[in-house]
């Protein structure tokens, strides 16, 4: 692993365990086995480091989610694919996923929130696109695509996060049956 990757891994571990604001550049550099000038060479600032961490860890997921959200006339299957993709990512990247959620719940003026917000909006838009594309098939959805996307994200995300938090195991898996049940529950609500 090169210095850049070592710094990113160290920052992820420290931000995950202690929080973005509680960790200083000097500590990241020392734990990474590099000097502060080396860290600044790669990332310019702690905020730049956070931005790169978010970008490098979320790019693959964003691409997977965009593909999963492609609507082909079957809302249930598309929502299951999106939920499955999210659950799979959380299983592969539990620390990053927990950090991502925590950063989004930072104070609105905080750098952590400012760094993660564009990524959250990008992911929300991918989910919203499902409902935009499905609105022609489902008349009761007209004008409520954003509402449905936010509700779906909330249901799936918090189910995954809470299952992760309440599990005694580190490698939390969301089963296909759980995904189907979540989507069924959500769809029951939008059709009623």
């Amino acid at each position: 692993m090169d210095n850049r990757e070592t710094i990113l891994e160290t920052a992820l571990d420290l931000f995950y365990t202690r929080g973005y604001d509680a960790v200083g550049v000097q500590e990241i550099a020392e734990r990474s086995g590099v000097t502060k000038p080396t860290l600044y060479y790669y990332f310019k600032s702690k905020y730049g480091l956070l931005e790169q961490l978010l970008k490098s860890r979320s790019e693959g997921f964003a691409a997977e989610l965009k593909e999963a959200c492609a609507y082909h006339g079957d809302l249930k299957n598309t929502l299951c694919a999106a939920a499955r993709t999210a659950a799979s990512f959380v299983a592969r990247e539990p620390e990053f996923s927990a950090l991502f959620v925590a950063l989004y719940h930072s104070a609105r003026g905080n750098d952590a929130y400012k760094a993660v917000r564009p990524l959250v909006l990008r992911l929300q838009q991918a989910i919203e696109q499902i409902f935009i594309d499905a609105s022609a098939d489902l008349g009761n959805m007209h004008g409520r695509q954003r509402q449905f996307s936010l509700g779906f994200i909330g249901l799936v995300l918090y189910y995954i996060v809470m299952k992760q938090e309440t599990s005694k195991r580190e490698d939390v898996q969301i089963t296909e049956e759980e995904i189907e049940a979540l989507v069924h529950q959500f769809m029951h609500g939008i059709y009623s």
Side-chain angles (χ1 to χ4, degrees):
M1 195 180 316
D2 66 4
N3 283 343
R4 186 178 190 285
E5 287 303 312
T6 300
I7 295 167
L8 286 168
E9 287 295 321
T10 302
L12 172 60
D13 181 56
L14 290 170
F15 294 159
Y16 168 70
T17 55
R18 299 213 349 258
Y20 175 77
D21 291 326
V23 176
V25 171
Q26 183 66 41
E27 182 178 6
I28 297 168
E30 286 175 5
R31 290 249 185 120
S32 299
V34 300
T35 63
K36 275 175 76 171
T38 299
L39 188 146
Y40 286 129
Y41 170 78
Y42 288 110
F43 302 106
K44 308 296 183 230
S45 66
K46 180 176 149 183
Y47 183 76
L49 171 57
L50 177 61
E51 285 183 313
Q52 281 301 305
L53 176 63
L54 290 168
K55 182 179 181 200
S56 67
R57 290 297 180 114
S58 67
E59 277 183 340
F61 171 62
E64 290 173 18
L65 185 64
K66 184 176 180 178
E67 185 177 321
C69 291
Y71 179 71
H72 301 290
D74 187 333
L75 183 59
K76 180 183 177 203
N77 283 340
T78 306
L79 293 176
C80 282
R84 193 178 302 112
T85 301
S88 175
F89 182 75
V90 170
R92 287 192 319 264
E93 296 276 356
E95 293 86 9
F96 178 78
S97 300
L99 175 63
F100 188 87
V101 171
L103 293 174
Y104 189 66
H105 288 93
S106 299
R108 296 303 183 245
N110 188 297
D111 282 346
Y113 174 79
K114 291 175 187 174
V116 78
R117 187 172 189 272
L119 299 172
V120 170
L121 293 176
R122 183 176 166 197
L123 299 175
Q124 188 274 324
Q125 289 167 351
I127 298 296
E128 187 173 346
Q129 192 62 49
I130 295 170
F131 297 103
I132 291 169
D133 294 344
S135 65
D137 297 336
L138 303 163
N140 71 335
M141 199 175 299
H142 184 68
R144 299 189 304 167
Q145 293 90 339
R146 172 156 292 193
Q147 176 187 349
F148 289 152
S149 70
L150 296 176
F152 181 72
I153 291 167
L155 176 68
V156 172
L157 177 65
Y158 282 99
Y159 182 86
I160 293 169
V161 167
M162 292 309 295
K163 184 165 181 183
Q164 191 177 37
E165 283 297 312
T166 58
S167 177
K168 294 182 188 334
R169 296 178 44 194
E170 296 262 334
D171 59 337
V172 175
Q173 299 290 323
I174 308 297
T175 67
E176 187 62 30
E177 292 78 25
E178 289 171 294
I179 289 168
E180 294 270 342
L182 284 171
V183 170
H184 178 79
Q185 176 183 351
F186 176 79
M187 289 185 70
H188 182 72
I190 68 172
Y191 287 126
S192 60

